Amino acid sequence: GTGKVDLTALYQERGITSIRTHDYKGAFDLIDPKFEATDAVLAHHRAGGFSTYLRLGNSYGAWASTASSSELAKGMTDMLTHVQAGTDKDRPVQYVELWNEPDNKEFWTQGEDAYIAMYIETAKAIRAKHPKVKIGGPALTPAGALTDRGRGFVERFLAAVKAAGAPLDF
């Protein structure tokens, strides 16, 4: 949007070295298939000397509910591959988070089971292509993480990931 403030100097002054890609409204989203917005923000990260903590998925309200797990796995792996190729070699992407707040309908509309299936397929695809990258998720809403339903989802998620032998580093 308009009116964005460049926080580069403030981040550098405070010793911040990594920026999480979240809610850039286009950049780093799967809805940026030609990576144009992504490349512009990535260049800004590089120019500031920051590494990129890549949150894979879409920004708030940008979800395309018709995508399958396989389409999402391919899209997220392609995004990581593209971003990794555009980062400084001494500051590669080290961490990826698979989606954000799957318990928030503005981020994820397909339900918990579909998120778990997507996570497993995507995590395996990323590990196969980028074996050194640490893979994490899900980042639940604070309200979701503190409810019985949220805790139940996390327990089911962890059991399914373990049973599938999918990577989960954080």
Side-chain angles (χ1 to χ4, degrees):
T2 60
K4 290 184 179 176
V5 175
D6 184 349
L7 299 173
T8 301
L10 182 65
Y11 283 8
Q12 291 167 336
E13 180 182 298
R14 298 246 163 47
I16 295 170
T17 60
S18 183
I19 298 174
R20 180 178 183 250
T21 60
H22 175 65
D23 276 356
Y24 276 81
K25 304 297 184 195
F28 303 103
D29 285 353
L30 301 180
I31 58 172
D32 184 25
K34 295 182 181 180
F35 308 112
E36 293 164 345
T38 297
D39 288 343
V41 176
L42 188 59
H44 193 72
H45 287 191
R46 283 193 317 263
F50 303 109
S51 65
T52 300
Y53 174 120
L54 190 58
R55 186 274 299 142
L56 292 166
N58 286 337
S59 296
Y60 187 88
W63 167 242
S65 62
T66 58
S68 69
S69 286
S70 295
E71 291 169 321
L72 292 171
K74 181 182 181 330
M76 287 192 266
T77 302
D78 289 350
M79 176 63 74
L80 172 58
T81 300
H82 180 82
V83 171
Q84 201 70 303
T87 59
D88 290 338
K89 299 305 174 214
D90 60 339
R91 286 188 300 272
V93 173
Q94 295 179 3
Y95 299 94
V96 296
E97 181 181 317
L98 303 188
W99 220 267
N100 183 62
E101 298 180 354
D103 58 324
N104 180 338
K105 297 275 190 227
E106 290 298 321
F107 280 110
W108 184 261
T109 60
Q110 293 189 21
E112 294 174 354
D113 291 338
Y115 174 82
I116 292 168
M118 179 279 299
Y119 178 94
I120 290 168
E121 187 168 351
T122 303
K124 287 180 174 184
I126 287 173
R127 181 56 44 89
K129 190 159 188 173
H130 301 278
K132 293 182 179 180
V133 171
K134 303 291 184 208
I135 303 167
L140 298 180
T141 62
L146 299 173
T147 65
D148 289 341
R149 180 174 178 221
R151 286 190 294 274
F153 167 64
V154 171
E155 289 173 11
R156 286 189 315 104
F157 169 81
L158 292 172
V161 167
K162 183 177 182 178
L168 177 63
D169 300 308
F170 65 95

